[in-house]
Amino acid sequence: MGTVLRKDEAGTAHAVLSASASSRWLHCPPSLRAGEHIINVPSQWADEGTRAHELCAQALAKGWGKEITPLKQADSEYDEEMKQSAVCYAAFVKEQAGSCDCDVFIEHRVDYSNAIGVPDSFGTADCILLEKGTGIAHIIDFKYGFQRVEVIKNTQLMLYAAGVYSEFGKQYGIKEFRLSIFQPRIANANTWGITAERLTSVCEKAFRPAAQQAVSGGGEFRAGEWCRFCPVRAICRKNAERLMTDPRIVPPPMLTDKEIVALLRIADDISSWLSDVKAYALESAKAGHVWEGFKIGHAKGRRIFTSEPAVAEVLRNAGIQPYVEQKPKLRGISDLEKELGRKKFAELLGSLTVMKEGIEKLVAEGE
């Protein structure tokens, strides 16, 4: 089988069968090829997670006496919550190591090609601890999101473990893996164990066949929680069928408690899916696609201050408290205008206030 690498616009190589997306391609193999040409909508949450991971890697390097890689962005891009999360993550790693003599690998590339039978299959493990003389290997994954990630049978970590076993299994005599998820913002810090023998069996019987199907474009589309980050989730019929279930169209005079409960269980997914559809349609329109009856417009604009320090100085000089008391955050325009009145607000801050255009959105033609 030939290479299955892909590159982003910067020329950086990525594995097609990424470990982070493994829950999707293992459960729904054809989604891999189906999503190859879908427009990628950038995510602010992904950028936030990347910054948090940079702090975590630096915190680990400091704690283990490793060479420290300079941060890629200015210090202001890393807020206090991120910094504290990185400190807690480093402490969790130390706790996992305990008193054992360990070798630590930070942001280490692991290749699990042999385990699934597809070349150029690799990922980056946040932290690997290899105990000396015990046969135990730890793989610890940092998650910065609010959506809970389960560690039991976590396919991303199991693939990382397969790569670690391939690279270090003989050298360290690995017999057991302890896989951990550390998710500080929702207090999710859990560990699950699997033997190297069991891991090898799972890779051979489950992961390898699914990987072969995914690369060839075979298998059946299946919908489930793994659809959340699928690039074709907005237009996938199976996902639509999963979300557009019967409770919404049953026509009794009043919904029953059972029907409302059924709706509540899928309400967040439906809301998220509709947002995905809108984002997909907008990005396609920006790329030239025409949606009949719709055009690119803008959401309602809002007023913003051109310079918060300048606004704070004007307010102080006028004897007005510029900040919200609970935290050093500038008071809002509506709050200040209500207190000062429109005329005085305009006199003091009119020159420091502009109207910011709303974000792009699809609107019906004629609006």
Side-chain angles (χ1 to χ4, degrees):
M1 184 178 292
T3 182
V4 290
L5 284 177
R6 65 176 176 221
K7 291 188 177 182
D8 58 21
E9 292 180 358
T12 303
H14 299 276
V16 171
L17 292 178
S18 70
S20 59
S22 56
S23 178
R24 174 168 57 82
W25 56 258
L26 284 169
H27 286 97
C28 182
S31 66
L32 179 76
R33 293 303 183 195
E36 285 184 327
H37 305 296
I38 295 294
I39 297 170
N40 182 40
V41 181
S43 165
Q44 69 180 86
W45 312 119
D47 292 341
E48 183 182 59
T50 297
R51 294 197 301 275
H53 273 80
E54 290 169 7
L55 285 176
C56 287
Q58 192 176 81
L60 274 189
K62 287 179 181 178
W64 290 82
K66 298 281 188 178
E67 181 180 352
I68 298 174
T69 302
L71 295 174
K72 296 179 181 179
Q73 302 183 54
D75 185 70
S76 59
E77 294 295 320
Y78 308 89
D79 61 34
E80 287 305 314
E81 184 182 22
M82 275 188 192
K83 293 174 182 178
Q84 187 58 39
S85 295
V87 171
C88 293
Y89 166 69
F92 179 78
V93 172
K94 283 286 188 182
E95 182 181 297
Q96 293 298 298
S99 59
C100 294
D101 184 13
C102 297
D103 284 333
V104 61
F105 298 84
I106 302 168
E107 295 292 326
H108 184 76
R109 173 167 158 159
V110 290
D111 191 305
Y112 43 88
S113 302
N114 291 336
I116 63 174
V118 177
D120 300 314
S121 295
F122 58 87
T124 301
D126 294 338
C127 179
I128 302 167
L129 295 176
L130 301 177
E131 295 186 13
K132 298 178 181 178
T134 66
I136 296 174
H138 303 258
I139 301 175
I140 303 163
D141 196 49
F142 176 85
K143 302 292 186 186
Y144 198 54
F146 290 99
Q147 184 72 30
R148 183 181 177 86
V149 178
E150 297 296 340
V151 72
I152 297 175
K153 297 183 179 179
N154 184 288
T155 57
Q156 178 180 5
L157 291 180
M158 290 170 75
L159 285 170
Y160 287 164
V164 170
Y165 191 58
S166 178
E167 183 176 358
F168 299 110
K170 291 182 179 179
Q171 180 182 349
Y172 288 84
I174 297 175
K175 297 179 181 178
E176 179 187 348
F177 287 93
R178 293 179 184 173
L179 312 179
S180 299
I181 292 290
F182 184 76
Q183 199 170 3
R185 298 169 99 179
I186 59 169
N188 176 25
N190 289 295
T191 299
W192 175 69
I194 184 171
T195 64
E197 182 180 8
R198 175 60 180 159
L199 175 67
T200 301
S201 175
V202 170
C203 287
E204 184 64 32
K205 295 178 181 178
F207 291 1
R208 182 181 287 258
Q212 302 289 332
Q213 282 190 324
V215 171
S216 66
E220 295 183 4
F221 284 96
R222 295 178 60 224
E225 56 84 20
W226 51 86
C227 298
R228 182 176 296 273
F229 299 110
C230 179
V232 296
R233 62 190 178 277
I235 56 175
C236 175
R237 187 169 301 280
K238 284 293 185 182
N239 190 37
E241 290 172 353
R242 173 177 76 100
L243 299 173
M244 304 294 285
T245 51
D246 283 348
R248 301 201 319 141
I249 58 176
V250 173
M254 299 290 175
L255 291 176
T256 65
D257 286 358
K258 184 177 181 181
E259 290 166 345
I260 290 174
V261 167
L263 283 171
L264 289 173
R265 284 177 177 153
I266 62 173
D268 288 344
D269 276 346
I270 288 179
S271 177
S272 176
W273 173 58
L274 291 175
S275 295
D276 291 336
V277 172
K278 290 166 69 175
Y280 169 81
L282 175 61
E283 293 301 316
S284 297
K286 288 162 68 174
H289 186 81
V290 176
W291 298 103
E292 184 177 354
F294 286 87
K295 64 181 181 180
I296 297 176
H298 291 86
K300 184 179 179 181
R302 63 187 181 90
R303 292 181 298 168
I304 61 170
F305 289 129
T306 57
S307 170
E308 291 194 359
V311 170
E313 183 178 357
V314 168
L315 291 173
R316 284 198 200 93
N317 290 340
I320 300 166
Q321 170 59 254
Y323 295 108
V324 178
E325 290 183 4
Q326 302 94 306
K327 52 185 177 180
K329 178 182 178 182
L330 195 67
R331 293 169 64 188
I333 289 178
S334 297
D335 176 40
L336 288 167
E337 190 172 58
K338 183 177 180 181
E339 178 182 328
L340 300 174
R342 290 187 178 181
K343 185 176 179 180
K344 181 143 186 191
F345 178 89
E347 290 173 0
L348 289 175
L349 302 172
S351 63
L352 295 171
T353 307
V354 297
M355 180 64 75
K356 182 180 180 181
E357 189 174 50
I359 61 171
E360 287 185 311
K361 59 180 287 189
L362 281 182
V363 297
E365 290 181 349
E367 287 189 8

